[in-house]
């Protein structure tokens, strides 16, 4: 009976929308989710937009919505069983390449990693394993217009804390450094849940793009283990053309640690050190960097912030050629002294691989761990969880 009611509602809504199309300028954008039917304020001259899902960037345009039922292309785990200390549940739309991973602890804490559920600044939606976005509206943890619960987000039992935002990720040719190719520009070639045993989750997404006229394939695999506050992302890029090409891979974020929309309080951190000013990281020596919502005295901030910290770690064998913390994306300020981290909205972590020249058929790969740091219970200073990426090299250079 319930399914019949849903089908009737859908049929009526579709009929009304089709009738309205005869008289109004309406944009239709379906994401193969069928979370429901949502009518948004239109853009680019359209009166309205009709869609079947809702991302955080579009929520402010919502005029009317009706939840329905998820589409059959969605793979999801059974309901989380909290008879143990923690449990994993996830949802993945294999056709669209978007979803989320959630780990819940028995004491009420949760961490959620949203994947591909956002709209980029170019107005397009990526498909694939790219951190960002918010939960689908049908999820019990969904909170309309609560941006703290977007990207990678942590619930301490009382409120949500922002950990990572929508990733700033892309490929650029050194011959055209101001024309980056973003994930939403790439052709989505499909995704698969490769492993799902209740404790270990492996998802893969594949993409195709052209850079400076040369075709590239990009393959990404995500690994997650229940109980962790991080994911591991492995990326491989292959030259499918007939001529060599030179690429740079960029990965970064102004994560707004603690509170969405604000960099206030955010300082960099590394092992045994807080970074109060911009810094180029010695990638030959160090293997991770993060941000800590602690307050920066160089920005006249007190230590009255949330204490939430994140981290990004690279595999020493596929280390980036550059990593930094700054007040802007792209690098650090040149001057006689390091510039303090003072930007109210753009304290940034950035990494760059390359320039790397790939011959026809040649591949380039790197692996990173992205997640939330713990805090030393005595000092409150962040501590990075052991990810296994550099265990064999621990203490070495």
């Amino acid at each position: 009976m319930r399914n019949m009611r849903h089908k009737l509602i859908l049929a009526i809504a579709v009929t009304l929308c089709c009738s309205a199309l005869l008289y109004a300028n309406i944009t239709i954008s379906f994401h193969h989710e069928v979370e429901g039917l949502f009518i948004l304020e239109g853009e680019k001259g359209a009166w309205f937009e009709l869609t079947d899902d809702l991302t955080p960037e579009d929520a402010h345009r919502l005029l009317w919505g009706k939840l329905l039922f998820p589409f059959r292309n969605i793979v999801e785990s059974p309901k989380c069983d909290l008879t143990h200390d923690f449990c994993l549940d996830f949802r993945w739309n294999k056709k669209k390449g978007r979803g989320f991973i959630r780990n819940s602890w028995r004491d009420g804490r949760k961490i959620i990693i949203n994947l591909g559920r956002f709209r980029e600044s170019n107005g397009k939606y990526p498909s694939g394993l790219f951190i960002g976005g918010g939960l689908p509206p049908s999820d019990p943890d969904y909170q309309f217009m609560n941006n703290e619960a977007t990207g990678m987000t942590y619930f301490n039992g009382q409120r949500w804390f922002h950990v990572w935002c929508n990733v700033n990720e892309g490929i650029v040719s050194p011959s055209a450094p101001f024309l980056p190719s973003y994930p939403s520009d790439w052709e989505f070639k499909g995704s698969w849940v490769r492993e799902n045993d209740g404790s270990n989750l492996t998802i893969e997404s594949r993409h195709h793009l052209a850079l400076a006229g040369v075709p590239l394939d990009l393959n990404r695999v995500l690994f997650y283990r229940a109980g962790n506050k991080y994911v591991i992302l492995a990326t491989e890029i292959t030259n499918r053309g007939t001529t060599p090409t030179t690429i740079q891979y960029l990965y970064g974020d102004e994560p707004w640690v603690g509170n969405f929309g604000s960099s206030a309080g955010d300082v960099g951190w590394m092992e045994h050190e807080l970074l109060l000013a911009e810094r180029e990281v010695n990638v030959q020596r160090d293997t991770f960097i993060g941000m800590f919502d602690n307050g920066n005295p160089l920005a006249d901030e007190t230590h009255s912030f949330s204490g939430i910290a994140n981290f990004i770690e690279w595999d020493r064998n596929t280390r980036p050629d550059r990593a930094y913390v700054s007040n802007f994306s792209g690098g650090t300020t040149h001057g006689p002294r390091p510039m303090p981290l003072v930007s109210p909205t753009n304290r940034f972590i950035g990494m760059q691989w390359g320039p790397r020249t790939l011959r026809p058929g040649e591949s380039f790969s790197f692996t990173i761990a992205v997640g939330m740091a713990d805090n030393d219970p005595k000092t409150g200073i962040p501590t990075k969880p052991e990810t296994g990426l550099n265990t064999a090299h621990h203490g070495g250079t």
Side-chain angles (χ1 to χ4, degrees):
M1 178 65 73
R2 186 177 180 182
N3 285 339
M4 289 295 295
R5 184 166 62 250
H6 283 161
K7 290 178 181 179
L8 179 60
I9 293 171
L10 180 61
I12 293 171
V14 169
T15 300
L16 291 173
C17 290
C18 289
S19 300
L21 283 172
L22 297 175
Y23 302 100
N25 183 6
I26 297 179
T27 301
I28 297 178
S29 56
F30 280 173
H31 300 275
H32 304 284
E33 287 281 344
V34 196
E35 276 288 310
L37 287 173
F38 305 97
I39 298 177
L40 314 179
E41 291 182 12
E43 295 180 316
K44 298 179 180 179
W47 293 0
F48 306 107
E49 179 179 343
L50 177 66
T51 183
D52 62 344
D53 195 11
L54 200 60
T55 63
E57 293 79 12
D58 295 325
H60 71 281
R61 297 192 289 130
L62 181 66
L63 299 174
W64 177 88
K66 176 66 178 179
L67 292 177
L68 293 173
F69 47 86
F71 200 46
R72 63 177 178 273
N73 286 309
I74 291 176
V75 179
E76 56 187 342
S77 59
K79 186 178 179 181
C80 199
D81 178 10
L82 277 173
T83 57
H84 302 288
D85 289 339
F86 53 80
C87 64
L88 161 68
D89 70 299
F90 77 97
R91 181 171 170 181
W92 184 253
N93 182 329
K94 59 185 180 180
K95 185 170 183 178
K96 185 62 180 176
R98 58 165 56 171
F100 67 88
I101 300 167
R102 172 171 44 213
N103 192 92
S104 303
W105 284 267
R106 190 158 50 183
D107 62 8
R109 294 175 297 129
K110 300 178 184 181
I111 192 162
I112 295 175
I113 303 107
N114 292 290
L115 298 161
R117 292 195 49 82
F118 61 99
R119 186 184 191 187
E120 290 191 326
S121 58
N122 59 11
K124 297 188 290 186
Y125 303 87
S127 292
L129 296 164
F130 309 105
I131 293 172
L135 288 169
S138 64
D139 189 85
D141 280 328
Y142 176 81
Q143 295 180 354
F144 181 67
M145 296 290 284
N146 178 12
N147 286 319
E148 306 292 3
T150 61
M152 186 179 295
T153 180
Y154 173 69
F155 183 70
N156 70 349
Q158 297 179 325
R159 59 155 287 192
W160 294 96
F161 293 90
H162 207 243
V163 180
W164 287 99
C165 203
N166 299 344
V167 66
N168 297 333
E169 190 167 0
I171 303 178
V172 66
S173 169
S175 63
F178 300 107
L179 294 174
S181 178
Y182 298 112
S184 61
D185 298 321
W186 306 342
E187 180 185 0
F188 178 59
K189 303 296 287 185
S191 67
W192 302 265
V193 176
R194 297 299 193 188
E195 179 185 23
N196 170 29
D197 64 6
S199 296
N200 297 284
L201 177 64
T202 304
I203 309 175
E204 178 184 10
S205 67
R206 294 182 180 178
H207 312 264
H208 181 79
L209 65 143
L211 191 70
V214 177
L216 301 174
D217 283 344
L218 186 145
N219 187 44
R220 172 158 287 176
V221 182
L222 175 148
F223 304 94
Y224 179 76
R225 184 166 187 168
N228 287 341
K229 296 179 183 176
Y230 63 88
V231 294
I232 291 178
L233 299 172
T235 303
E236 183 180 60
I237 305 162
T238 304
N239 181 350
R240 294 300 184 193
T242 57
T243 59
T245 187
T246 302
I247 68 170
Q248 290 177 319
Y249 202 95
L250 310 175
Y251 191 106
D253 193 11
E254 64 288 351
W256 294 336
V257 183
N259 293 292
F260 179 88
S262 173
S263 288
D266 294 351
V267 298
W269 75 279
M270 301 166 63
E271 192 167 11
H272 309 306
E273 185 178 9
L274 297 184
L275 309 181
L276 306 185
E278 296 181 349
R279 170 82 68 88
E280 292 277 351
V281 178
N282 183 344
V283 296
Q284 299 292 327
R285 181 193 65 194
D286 301 303
T287 58
F288 76 90
I289 195 166
M291 280 199 168
F292 177 30
D293 190 33
N294 184 59
N296 188 348
L298 300 184
D300 295 324
E301 295 168 348
T302 65
H303 297 307
S304 58
F305 291 85
S306 69
I308 298 294
N310 66 20
F311 77 95
I312 187 163
E313 180 181 11
W314 48 89
D315 173 12
R316 190 182 296 274
N317 295 318
T318 60
R319 62 170 65 91
D321 294 276
R322 186 186 188 195
Y324 60 90
V325 290
S326 181
N327 287 293
F328 60 96
S329 62
T332 55
T333 304
H334 297 290
R337 296 180 180 177
M339 178 69 179
L341 292 171
V342 296
S343 172
T345 59
N346 202 34
R347 302 180 201 183
F348 191 87
I349 294 178
M351 299 186 299
Q352 173 185 310
W353 285 262
R356 303 282 176 89
T357 298
L358 299 179
R359 297 185 298 271
E362 189 175 14
S363 297
F364 152 68
S365 63
F366 64 89
T367 302
I368 57 177
V370 185
M372 178 179 170
D374 298 315
N375 295 84
D376 186 304
K378 294 182 179 179
T379 66
I381 299 299
T383 59
K384 183 186 70 65
E386 179 54 64
T387 67
L389 284 188
N390 294 290
T391 303
H393 303 280
H394 185 68
T397 57

